[in-house]
Every structure is written in C-alpha cells, then in structure tokens.
C-alpha cells in the first residue's frame, strides 16, 4: 500500500480484540435503549445485534472453511445484559478463531487480499472499530483514538476495496476526480475517479482533482465512513457532497 505501513494479520487481530471490548463497555454504559447518533434510527441494541451477527458470520467462514458466500444469520431477539453477553461471546470466539486459524486457510472472502485469513482479520478489525465509534457516540464523552496507520489502512480498504466493487453507488454522470489526503501520514493520498462505473481509485496523486478532502487519517477514515464531517474540503464541494450522499456501504 504505497509508502504507508503494511499491517500484519496479528496486528489486526489485536486491534479487533481491543475495539470489540471497547464497543461492549461503551454499549453497557450507554444502555441498549440509547440512540446511536452516528447511525440514525438505531439504538444500541441494534448496533450490538448487527455487530454480533457480523462477528458470527465471519467466524463461520474461517472456522468451517466455507468457500461460497453464505448470508448473515438471524439477529437474536435478546436485549439488555443477555444481549451484551451474547455479543461478548461472539466477539471473543471470532478473536480466538482468527488467532488459531492456519495462515493458508482457504475460505470465501470479498475483497482482494494477500490471503483469506488476512482479509477477515483486516475486515473485522475495521468493521468493529467503526461500530465502536458508534457505541461511544451513543454513550457520549471522550472517544478512544484510532491509530494513524490503522486509519490509513481503513481508508485504503474502503476506497480500493469496497468501492471498487460493482455494488458501489458512488457514481457520477459527469466524470469527477476526488483526492483524499491524510495530512498526518507520509504519502497517504488517493485519487478517486467518479464516473458512471464504480469508482476507480489509485494510491498516489494522479493528475488534477476537482475536489480534495484532507485531514488527519483518523478523522478522514471516519468521515469517509460517514461518521464525521470531512475535516477540510477544497475545490468543488459538490464532489464531496456526492460522496456523502452515495457512498453508504450496504
């Protein structure tokens, strides 16, 4: 990934473990009734059910070596302390499963990666970090920081992974170029070409851009996941607006 630090599977598993614990304790402090300001319409119970279901879904691919897509399981009708216990059990099983899996494991995954295990460790670390931010937003008070390298990696996964897929809705009738620059991370800049096709993103500064969004990697990561406003926008702000409106990942 260009000049930025390439993170190892073991680092992602450590981050997943920490983020999942932080998510649970913020959810517990907020209470399952609390509204989640970063996910309009959600309460903490929805966040726990969703993230817990994702954790179990991911665990099954790695633990059982499924080579084809399988849909999510049902979210449980649990609430309160039972829901928290269910979430914590699923999270720790995911961490254990990833930690003990064979590096040459074969299983289904949905973004390019050095290996299926590397994919699932990275994806679940980011999934859990973003939802931990949601849980802390519901609780209120100080948010736990996000490491710069991890945030830059998350920007890369989102731009060059998620939005390279056919299902990305981040499209523009008129071709537009969005530059994304992490101001605190050496060389961390991406060039995103928006057309009628899925976005095409290159790592690096490729040609002129219509609009640039920039800021510290951690702020930019959360802004690109639509959890915060963009720290700084220069050029044609409608391009940043288009991203905001159309980039939601289902």
């Amino acid at each position: 990934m260009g000049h930025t630090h390439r993170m190892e599977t073991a680092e992602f598993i450590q981050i997943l473990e920490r983020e999942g614990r932080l998510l649970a304790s913020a959810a517990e402090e907020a209470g399952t009734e609390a509204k989640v300001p970063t996910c309009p319409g959600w309460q903490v119970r929805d966040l726990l059910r969703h993230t817990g279901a994702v954790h179990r879904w991911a665990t099954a691919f790695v633990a059982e070596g499924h080579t084809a897509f399988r849909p999510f399981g049902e979210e449980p009708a649990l609430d309160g302390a039972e829901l928290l216990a269910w979430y914590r059990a699923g999270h720790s099983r995911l961490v254990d499963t990833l930690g003990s899996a064979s590096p040459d494991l074969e299983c289904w995954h949905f973004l390019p990666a050095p290996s299926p295990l590397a994919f699932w460790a990275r994806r679940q670390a980011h999934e859990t970090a973003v939802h931990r931010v949601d849980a802390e937003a519901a609780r209120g008070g100080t948010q736990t920081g996000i490491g710069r390298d991890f945030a830059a990696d998350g920007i890369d996964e989102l731009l060059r992974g998620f939005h390279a897929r056919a299902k990305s809705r981040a499209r523009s009738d008129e071709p537009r170029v969005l530059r994304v620059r992490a101001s605190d991370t050496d060389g961390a800049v991406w060039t995103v070409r928006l057309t009628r096709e899925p976005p095409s993103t290159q790592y690096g500064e490729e040609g002129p851009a219509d609009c640039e969004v920039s800021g510290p990697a951690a702020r930019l990561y959360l802004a690109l996941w639509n959890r915060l406003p963009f720290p700084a926008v220069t050029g044609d702000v409608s391009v940043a607006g288009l991203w905001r409106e159309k980039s939601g990942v289902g």
Side-chain angles (χ1 to χ4, degrees):
M1 195 190 107
H3 311 288
T4 57
H5 167 61
R6 178 84 210 202
M7 295 182 63
E8 297 299 323
T9 295
E11 291 178 83
F12 286 122
I13 296 170
Q14 267 180 324
I15 291 169
L16 166 64
E17 179 160 35
R18 171 177 161 261
E19 294 291 337
R21 288 172 189 267
L22 287 169
L23 190 161
S25 55
E28 193 163 24
E29 288 170 47
T32 54
E33 306 265 307
K35 287 188 165 44
V36 183
T38 44
C39 299
W42 269 21
Q43 289 171 289
V44 167
R45 67 168 66 90
D46 301 302
L47 186 65
L48 287 170
R49 288 170 184 169
H50 167 77
T51 311
V54 170
H55 286 167
R56 284 166 167 76
W57 178 73
T59 297
F61 288 108
V62 176
E64 297 159 33
H66 298 296
T67 53
F69 170 79
R70 295 159 50 117
F72 288 115
E74 284 295 299
E75 293 184 11
L78 301 171
D79 205 348
E82 283 182 314
L83 176 58
L84 270 152
W86 175 85
Y87 166 80
R88 286 187 164 114
H91 169 251
S92 68
R93 180 152 174 259
L94 174 60
V95 170
D96 292 347
T97 299
L98 290 168
S100 60
S102 164
D104 58 7
L105 156 89
E106 290 292 324
C107 70
W108 181 83
H109 57 294
F110 63 88
L111 300 177
S115 71
L117 182 62
F119 164 81
W120 283 110
R122 179 194 203 193
R123 176 81 291 275
Q124 292 306 301
H126 287 298
E127 173 86 18
T128 307
V130 170
H131 288 316
R132 180 271 292 170
V133 168
D134 295 331
E136 290 187 345
R139 180 195 65 195
T142 314
Q143 293 243 330
T144 310
I146 292 173
R148 196 177 63 185
D149 287 336
F150 178 68
D153 178 83
I155 294 169
D156 197 69
E157 188 210 37
L158 181 62
L159 296 178
R160 295 203 304 157
F162 272 97
H163 284 290
R165 297 186 301 161
K167 55 166 78 168
S168 175
R169 295 192 309 273
R171 300 176 188 224
S172 173
D173 286 337
E174 217 179 317
R176 288 281 177 258
V177 179
L178 175 66
R179 183 106 63 221
V180 175
R181 186 185 307 275
S183 53
D184 59 351
T185 312
D186 195 32
V189 55
W190 294 262
T191 303
V192 185
R193 293 173 199 289
L194 297 165
T195 62
R196 291 180 176 183
E197 298 297 310
S200 155
T201 299
Q202 285 169 292
Y203 187 81
E205 201 157 340
E206 300 289 331
D210 297 297
C211 175
E212 177 168 307
V213 294
S214 62
R219 293 271 309 278
L220 210 47
Y221 170 61
L222 293 175
L224 288 162
W225 274 112
N226 292 321
R227 292 323 198 264
L228 285 176
F230 284 118
V233 182
T234 54
D236 181 352
V237 297
S238 75
V239 181
L242 175 107
W243 180 271
R244 258 272 165 263
E245 191 192 328
K246 298 196 168 172
S247 68
V249 170

